[in-house]
Amino acid sequence: MANHPRLLMLALLTSFLVVVNGFLAVATLEEGLTTTTRDTVMGQRHRGGRELDECQLSRLNSLEPTNRIQCEAGTIESWDPNEDEFRCAGVAVVRHIIEPNGLLLPSYTNAPQLIYIVEGKGIQGLVLPGCPETFQSSQQQSQYGGSRERGSAGKREEEFGERGAAGQRGGQLQDQHQKIRHFRQGDILAIPMGAAQWVYNDGDRPIVAIVLLDTTNNHNQLDVNPRRFYLAGNPEQEHPSEGERRRHRQQPFSRRGGQGAGEGTGCRNIFCGIDAEFIADAFRVDMDLATKLQNENDNRNNIVKVEGRLQVLRPPRREQEMERGSRRETESERHSRRGGRHGSGGYTEEVDSNEGDEEENGVEETLCTMRLRENIADPRRADVYTQNVGRINTVNSHNLPILFWLQLSAEHGVLQRNAMMVPHWNMNAHSVIYVIRGRAKVQVVDNNGQAVFEEDLQEGRILVVPQSFAVVKRAQSEEFEWVSFKTSDNAMINTAAGRNSYIRALPDEVVANAYQISREEARRLKYNRKGTTVFSPEGGSRRAEV
């Protein structure tokens, strides 16, 4: 009996050590997985069929779309992914233009996507496997849909409910589906690889969206060719191979009613290659409905026009949104009195009434509730700002955590006329620059000190700047606006001039001896420029721009 307490204490101590070892093992495993993930990501950009010398570029070009698909309710334009610049960065780019009341058909891709909304607003549905259908119709709702038109003014009454499960009322199932997300101009949307998504334009002007696909991401186990798999319709491929172009020209549109499409037919969604009998068994429907999933004789292409208005379950927009015009004027006046940051050079942008909807609560996000959207065009959220000169906004895995898994980030910038973004280089990422509006003089320099790009960069064009290549921009229009996609979740730059530059960090004697200048000249190089990233044209030996 005397030994019993000792045995009990020994057993408790043993249990405690086992638990501690278990926690240490889990922590070690998580750290190892994180390290492995990052190492794999960094290494993957040299795999997937890419050669190690694909970034040995002696000349860069600003690129325009090479393929155009005219759809019933919009246009899809794509850049050739086989261009040397895109092969170096390991990405592909598409531009979607969706007309009002247009629906981009459900699809998924073999690579993660980062989407920037250049113009317009709309709604997006993203289907994440295993996530619950949290949007449900109410018991009182008499028909499907989240909205209906009423009144001569076309005001929309939003209908949404409290019903917890799909029930049956009058013999008809109540609607339920996964979350619907609103987006607007300036938003970055993150789309995981393999996640099916659709987009609908519920506004009164076209949506213009730039889509980047990271085809050399480690999650893409196929080759580096961008592939979009459509789940409906009879769409054309955004990035067709030469063989697909030739096959499409040679084969007329045809479908075998009641049979799987297989080879040699015009149907191009994933159900087309599955026998209709299999589809009927999988969905437990009749053959007639199964063949409709194969979209026989559907010539609408990738973006289709919705009959009437798209009726989906979604919460109403906040009442304050109706008053945002007057509120924006009040805020603009208040900021201007304080010399505020509402814009650069009087430039103002629409204020998002839903800005406060997505507050962080300190709890780790799950996949089903993870934020997938961040606005990077809002001047109030600028990371770098110089009044009457310009500003820069960034999004990375720190303020949008899903980007850690996608290994992507983005930057949005605005420069006033003659303003300059300091010479800099991307330390750990390639940069894919898309010009939203305006034009700028851009120079890019390689490791041999040779200018591989020295031209005007115009609206609608893309310039790929490889990792470590030095780049400088000077606006030549009233405003130059761009968005840059970067192939790292936490892309970093190093600057050559200004307060936080490499030259500012060097001792005076090092600068003097490196450039064969006097110590006084070295101090002028280091301290004459007080800004950090965007500079005004005042001072120095600036040449007049025409």
Side-chain angles (χ1 to χ4, degrees):
M1 293 296 293
N3 292 331
H4 181 68
R6 294 181 180 178
L7 292 174
L8 180 60
M9 289 297 294
L10 182 60
L12 291 173
L13 180 59
T14 303
S15 300
F16 175 74
L17 290 174
V18 169
V19 172
V20 170
N21 286 333
F23 279 123
L24 290 175
V26 170
T28 303
L29 177 60
E30 289 179 347
E31 182 180 358
L33 287 174
T34 302
T35 304
T36 301
T37 299
R38 287 196 175 276
D39 290 345
T40 303
V41 169
M42 296 305 293
Q44 183 67 25
R45 298 193 180 279
H46 296 292
R47 300 209 308 265
R50 294 182 58 221
E51 299 295 335
L52 293 178
D53 61 351
E54 285 186 356
C55 287
Q56 299 297 322
L57 302 172
S58 59
R59 180 69 184 169
L60 297 177
N61 298 291
S62 62
L63 304 171
E64 292 183 299
T66 56
N67 188 57
R68 179 183 175 91
I69 303 172
Q70 189 61 51
C71 307
E72 181 185 44
T75 306
I76 294 178
E77 298 171 329
S78 58
W79 282 256
D80 184 357
N82 293 314
E83 293 281 2
D84 292 340
E85 292 86 349
F86 289 128
R87 290 185 66 83
C88 170
V91 300
V93 182
V94 182
R95 181 164 56 205
H96 290 159
I97 304 173
I98 307 173
E99 299 294 335
N101 212 31
L103 173 68
L104 178 64
L105 292 174
S107 67
Y108 60 91
T109 62
N110 63 323
Q113 304 173 73
L114 210 55
I115 304 173
Y116 179 78
I117 306 300
V118 178
E119 293 180 17
K121 64 177 182 178
I123 59 175
Q124 174 208 41
L126 185 67
V127 181
L128 298 173
C131 294
E133 299 158 343
T134 54
F135 279 37
Q136 302 164 345
S137 59
S138 65
Q139 294 177 348
Q140 291 79 23
Q141 189 172 349
S142 60
Q143 62 179 351
Y144 281 96
S147 64
R148 64 170 182 264
E149 302 291 342
R150 70 175 187 180
S152 59
K155 293 184 178 179
R156 196 160 58 238
E157 177 185 333
E158 305 285 359
E159 298 176 339
F160 64 102
E162 307 167 350
R163 187 175 179 86
Q168 197 164 4
R169 186 172 182 267
Q172 188 180 43
L173 289 172
Q174 299 297 300
D175 191 14
Q176 62 180 21
H177 51 72
Q178 286 192 15
K179 181 178 180 178
I180 300 295
R181 295 171 170 85
H182 293 265
F183 62 82
R184 67 179 180 100
Q185 180 177 333
D187 279 348
I188 279 282
L189 310 178
I191 312 296
M193 45 281 140
Q197 71 142 353
W198 54 267
V199 174
Y200 172 66
N201 186 345
D202 66 346
D204 55 4
R205 59 176 178 162
I207 292 172
V208 179
I210 297 298
V211 184
L212 178 128
L213 294 88
D214 184 13
T215 55
T216 50
N217 189 282
N218 69 308
H219 293 287
N220 177 21
Q221 300 298 303
L222 295 174
D223 52 34
V224 296
N225 296 314
R227 306 187 191 191
R228 187 175 294 275
F229 298 80
Y230 278 91
L231 295 159
N234 180 30
E236 293 184 33
Q237 275 297 325
E238 297 173 350
H239 296 98
S241 65
E242 184 56 38
E244 288 172 333
R245 290 195 190 99
R246 192 181 308 112
R247 198 160 50 242
H248 182 64
R249 289 193 297 265
Q250 292 174 351
Q251 294 174 352
F253 181 88
S254 64
R255 280 272 320 135
R256 295 194 300 270
Q259 301 294 325
E263 292 278 342
T265 68
C267 182
R268 290 183 289 270
N269 74 63
I270 67 168
F271 293 111
C272 298
I274 303 175
D275 193 281
E277 198 171 312
F278 286 178
I279 298 174
D281 289 342
F283 287 95
R284 201 181 174 189
V285 295
D286 57 43
M287 287 286 290
D288 182 58
L289 181 54
T291 56
K292 290 180 180 179
L293 268 65
Q294 298 172 327
N295 292 84
E296 183 176 358
N297 299 323
D298 188 345
N299 297 312
R300 299 174 299 169
N301 254 331
N302 312 47
I303 306 171
V304 304
K305 194 170 189 65
V306 173
E307 297 180 5
R309 299 289 289 180
L310 190 71
Q311 297 182 343
V312 294
L313 299 168
R314 50 179 167 150
R317 298 183 183 272
R318 300 196 329 185
E319 293 180 359
Q320 290 89 334
E321 189 175 32
M322 304 298 294
E323 304 170 359
R324 69 181 171 189
S326 59
R327 184 173 67 251
R328 185 165 63 245
E329 289 181 5
T330 303
E331 291 181 355
S332 178
E333 291 172 0
R334 185 167 64 249
H335 280 275
S336 62
R337 285 196 299 270
R338 297 187 311 203
R341 296 170 31 153
H342 195 71
S344 53
Y347 178 69
T348 59
E349 294 187 15
E350 182 175 292
V351 177
D352 188 7
S353 66
N354 294 323
E355 178 188 30
D357 286 354
E358 297 176 341
E359 297 179 356
E360 296 181 5
N361 58 11
V363 180
E364 183 178 1
E365 295 173 317
T366 65
L367 178 62
C368 298
T369 59
M370 184 173 287
R371 289 192 307 113
L372 304 174
R373 176 182 73 93
E374 180 76 12
N375 193 281
I376 60 172
D378 190 337
R380 297 170 303 170
R381 301 181 183 180
D383 298 300
V384 175
Y385 172 77
T386 302
Q387 189 174 13
N388 299 322
V389 176
R391 68 178 188 275
I392 295 175
N393 296 45
T394 58
V395 60
N396 53 37
S397 58
H398 295 297
N399 51 4
L400 193 60
I402 192 174
L403 295 180
F404 170 78
W405 305 108
L406 272 58
Q407 288 294 300
L408 295 170
S409 57
E411 166 192 278
H412 174 269
V414 176
L415 293 177
Q416 302 301 311
R417 179 183 288 276
N418 288 330
M420 183 173 72
M421 186 172 179
V422 64
H424 65 279
W425 60 92
N426 293 284
M427 298 173 63
N428 59 341
H430 302 301
S431 181
V432 181
I433 302 171
Y434 174 81
V435 181
I436 298 172
R437 61 194 172 109
R439 63 188 177 92
K441 180 74 171 181
V442 178
Q443 293 181 327
V444 182
V445 180
D446 67 7
N447 59 300
N448 293 315
Q450 301 297 314
V452 292
F453 184 86
E454 190 175 5
E455 299 176 14
D456 284 356
L457 190 56
Q458 306 276 358
E459 178 177 333
R461 287 179 172 264
I462 283 178
L463 175 65
V464 177
V465 180
Q467 177 185 356
S468 299
F469 281 40
V471 58
V472 60
K473 312 181 187 79
R474 187 193 292 276
Q476 292 191 298
S477 56
E478 285 304 314
E479 282 187 336
F480 174 68
E481 182 179 2
W482 77 93
V483 61
S484 295
F485 301 96
K486 304 198 176 186
T487 57
S488 168
D489 69 298
N490 189 22
M492 297 179 288
I493 68 169
N494 205 339
T495 56
R499 191 169 68 243
N500 296 328
S501 66
Y502 100 93
I503 204 165
R504 185 75 171 261
L506 296 178
D508 294 351
E509 287 293 326
V510 172
V511 176
N513 283 277
Y515 296 104
Q516 293 183 304
I517 58 179
S518 69
R519 184 164 181 170
E520 178 59 32
E521 290 172 322
R523 293 184 65 83
R524 291 208 306 270
L525 277 178
K526 288 180 62 175
Y527 300 111
N528 272 12
R529 179 60 72 181
K530 305 300 183 184
T532 55
T533 308
V534 292
F535 299 150
S536 68
E538 298 175 359
S541 58
R542 180 180 61 84
R543 291 175 295 181
E545 299 287 350
V546 179

